[in-house]
Amino acid sequence: MSLATVFLQDQNFIHVLYIVAFGLFIYGLSGLTGPRTAVRGNRIAAVGMLLAVIATLLDRREGNWALIVVGVAIGTAVGIPAARRVKMTAMPQMVALFNGVGGGAVFLIAWAEFRDSGGYSGTPLYVAVFSLFAAIVGSVSFWGSNIAFGKLQELLPGRPITLGRSQQLVNGLVAAVAVGLAVAIAAGSHSQLLFILMLIAAAVLGNLVVLPIGGADMPVVISLLNAFTGLSAAATGVALDNPALIVAGMIVGASGSILTNLMAVAMNRSIPAIIAGGFGGGGVVGGASGAGAQGGSVRSTSAADVAVQLAYARQVVIVPGYGMAVAQAQHAVRELAKALESRGVEVKYAIHPVAGRMPGHMNVLLAEADVPYEQLKEMDDINPEFARTDVSLVIGANDVTNPAAHTNPSSPIYGMPILEVENSRSVIVIKRSMNPGFAGIENELYYKPATAMLFGDAKSAVTDITAELANI
Ligand code: NAP
């Protein structure tokens, strides 16, 4: 063996590579805290992952190179085109799928470990325990993520599919079966049948936990399953004595948990309530323009009138929401903002943390349309500004502007922080109908005297306003 090979395969050298890789993961992650540094952060973390893969492959214990090359080739051939082609609105299901693959890899590794060691014979108890934990949680995450993908891709019905009152009892029983089988294996059973039954129980559990949750809650579920995958990968790292897996798994587990919590807080929902399911099934309550349950009436306006109002405003705040994403109106919005700015109107964008259907949804779309970052204002910064705003232009946003969050204690969104657009002098809302948004509730903002509705698809409505503006 050449000196170079001895050096490259030295355990200390491999550990140094791992440490550099972790450093890059953490440095890259810190870049994701702002849109300006996010792309660079992603690249840095990707270089870290490449180093970790190289370090793992250098390890003398790694075997069949041909199989590894085939695996890498298949992964690359599927992953790169999928990631390039995916539409921004389909990103949550893409993340679900990738997360599911991670969980799948973890439970397969645990299974291989079980077979390799002849049912953990001669391995310390802690290795068996961590490996069994990884197998169960990885399997739950794999199946749960696939159900989440199916719901978001509309391959499965988005509405909650539940067993009714017995749901939690059945879930508890299936979980107890999986844990019971794991205990039997850790206690010394070498039976592969038991291991497979345990994986099946975990698979059933993954399905049972996610099926009752409505399609619209899926982004939170995906974030939670992401945390599960991270934890299971870290457990695999302990079992395989692989520090890269431990650190990467813990980073994913921690960031997934923090993100899940942030989303739940921003939606004013508790995580147990989300997991219990039955909310946001995607069903839309019908509604027509005109008199609403509020007892008031709505005022509808035209693109020409909106253009006049905007042209003579000093400050306009654009409030984007899910409808802007659906209509892919971000470029049209940017054009309108440019036209207003050329007339001396100050334009800002109000970004609610859960506008759209995934964290950072609006930031990503507006960045794609080259909106300057400094114009994007977070909720806490923009709320005091609404009182000085002449026109708030709400584009396909609904729940994140609903004053019921402050005024109606019986509302499902009561307590959720909102963008306080109703404080501005005038509010224009662009949406196609009076249909509600994600939470399925009416928005009292639409019945306020200062609010006017411009009904239509966000992209064409915004384009019409810009065209009218040119005539003023
Ligand atoms: P929203 O409350 O879901 O409302 C979106 C509105 O967009 C709808 O009322 C719809 O009305 C309109 N719309 C749809 N397509 C349109 C089009 N082509 N042109 C114009 N308008 C269109 O959206 P949001 O205000 O952004 O609030 C997000 C909601 O999602 C919150 O309740 C949040 O809790 C939830 N959520 C967010 C996340 C996240 O991470 N961001 C995750 C899970 C859940 P019409 O049908 O009348 O057009």
Side-chain angles (χ1 to χ4, degrees):
M1 203 184 292
S2 77
L3 200 60
T5 317
V6 171
F7 175 75
L8 286 175
Q9 295 194 328
D10 183 84
Q11 277 303 314
N12 290 331
F13 175 69
I14 290 175
H15 280 138
V16 168
L17 282 185
Y18 278 150
I19 291 169
V20 175
F22 310 151
L24 292 174
F25 291 161
I26 294 165
Y27 184 50
L29 201 63
S30 70
L32 302 188
T33 49
R36 205 186 290 276
T37 49
V39 174
R40 198 168 56 106
N42 238 327
R43 290 201 180 120
I44 291 170
V47 172
M49 187 50 83
L50 182 68
L51 265 189
V53 171
I54 292 173
T56 306
L57 294 179
L58 284 177
D59 198 310
R60 243 171 267 138
R61 291 171 294 176
E62 295 308 328
N64 205 326
W65 275 88
L67 265 184
I68 292 173
V69 170
V70 171
V72 170
I74 295 176
T76 311
V78 176
I80 291 183
R84 279 189 178 279
R85 249 183 257 150
V86 67
K87 286 206 195 104
M88 231 21 250
T89 42
M91 208 48 120
Q93 50 265 51
M94 179 83 172
V95 175
L97 211 55
F98 280 177
N99 182 55
V101 174
V106 165
F107 88 69
L108 287 177
I109 290 171
W111 191 1
E113 189 69 7
F114 174 85
R115 287 169 57 101
D116 249 19
S117 59
Y120 302 124
S121 40
T123 38
L125 180 63
Y126 82 89
V127 170
V129 170
F130 276 95
S131 182
L132 289 163
F133 172 85
I136 293 177
V137 179
S139 177
V140 167
S141 190
F142 173 75
W143 290 99
S145 300
N146 284 336
I147 297 289
F149 168 78
K151 288 200 177 215
L152 289 171
Q153 194 65 26
E154 293 175 2
L155 301 172
L156 290 171
R159 69 185 154 75
I161 301 172
T162 78
L163 298 175
R165 281 166 182 230
S166 52
Q167 181 77 52
Q168 301 310 330
L169 180 70
V170 175
N171 288 6
L173 283 176
V174 177
V177 169
V179 173
L181 290 167
V183 170
I185 296 166
S189 165
H190 303 314
S191 159
Q192 186 158 207
L193 179 66
L194 284 196
F195 196 95
I196 293 173
L197 286 176
M198 179 193 75
L199 286 181
I200 293 174
V204 174
L205 186 62
N207 284 276
L208 284 178
V209 167
V210 181
L211 278 171
I213 303 174
D217 265 348
M218 281 306 129
V220 187
V221 175
I222 291 166
S223 169
L224 189 64
L225 290 172
N226 192 229
F228 280 9
T229 303
L231 284 182
S232 60
T236 307
V238 175
L240 295 181
D241 192 20
N242 183 319
L245 263 179
I246 300 175
V247 175
M250 286 317 292
I251 291 175
V252 174
S255 48
S257 310
I258 293 169
L259 182 58
T260 310
N261 194 41
L262 284 177
M263 285 165 84
V265 169
M267 293 163 72
N268 195 35
R269 314 261 323 278
S270 76
I271 295 171
I274 292 171
I275 301 301
F279 184 87
V284 171
V285 184
S289 56
Q294 302 291 319
S297 58
V298 296
R299 185 159 59 91
S300 89
T301 186
S302 66
D305 283 351
V306 175
V308 172
Q309 241 185 307
L310 294 176
Y312 296 106
R314 253 185 327 112
Q315 173 161 290
V316 170
V317 174
I318 294 176
V319 181
Y322 179 61
M324 184 187 82
V326 174
Q328 286 292 296
Q330 62 274 22
H331 295 281
V333 171
R334 171 75 176 125
E335 289 310 310
L336 173 62
K338 277 204 254 176
L340 288 172
E341 281 163 345
S342 69
R343 291 171 167 268
V345 180
E346 186 160 1
V347 179
K348 291 174 180 158
Y349 297 78
I351 308 297
H352 190 282
V354 291
R357 289 292 182 273
M358 60 177 182
H361 205 168
M362 298 301 118
N363 302 65
V364 174
L365 290 175
L366 294 172
E368 185 195 309
D370 287 330
V371 171
Y373 297 131
E374 52 279 6
Q375 290 184 357
L376 306 188
K377 303 289 174 199
E378 288 183 16
M379 182 168 59
D380 293 340
D381 297 329
I382 198 75
N383 269 342
E385 290 247 358
F386 282 117
R388 315 191 260 285
T389 299
D390 300 299
V391 186
S392 286
L393 186 60
V394 179
I395 304 177
N398 188 342
D399 295 342
V400 299
T401 62
N402 194 337
H406 290 327
T407 58
N408 181 359
S410 61
S411 170
I413 60 162
Y414 186 67
M416 169 171 146
I418 54 156
L419 292 166
E420 295 159 5
V421 290
E422 80 270 21
N423 293 341
S424 49
R425 257 160 247 150
S426 151
V427 181
I428 310 284
V429 178
I430 300 178
K431 68 201 290 292
R432 297 164 307 177
S433 66
M434 288 299 285
N435 281 345
F438 161 82
I441 49 168
E442 202 160 17
N443 192 340
E444 55 189 74
L445 174 73
Y446 306 157
Y447 302 92
K448 303 241 174 206
T451 304
M453 310 291 296
L454 179 58
F455 290 110
D457 172 73
K459 189 171 174 182
S460 38
V462 171
T463 312
D464 290 350
I465 300 172
T466 313
E468 293 289 348
L469 203 58
N471 302 327
I472 296 173

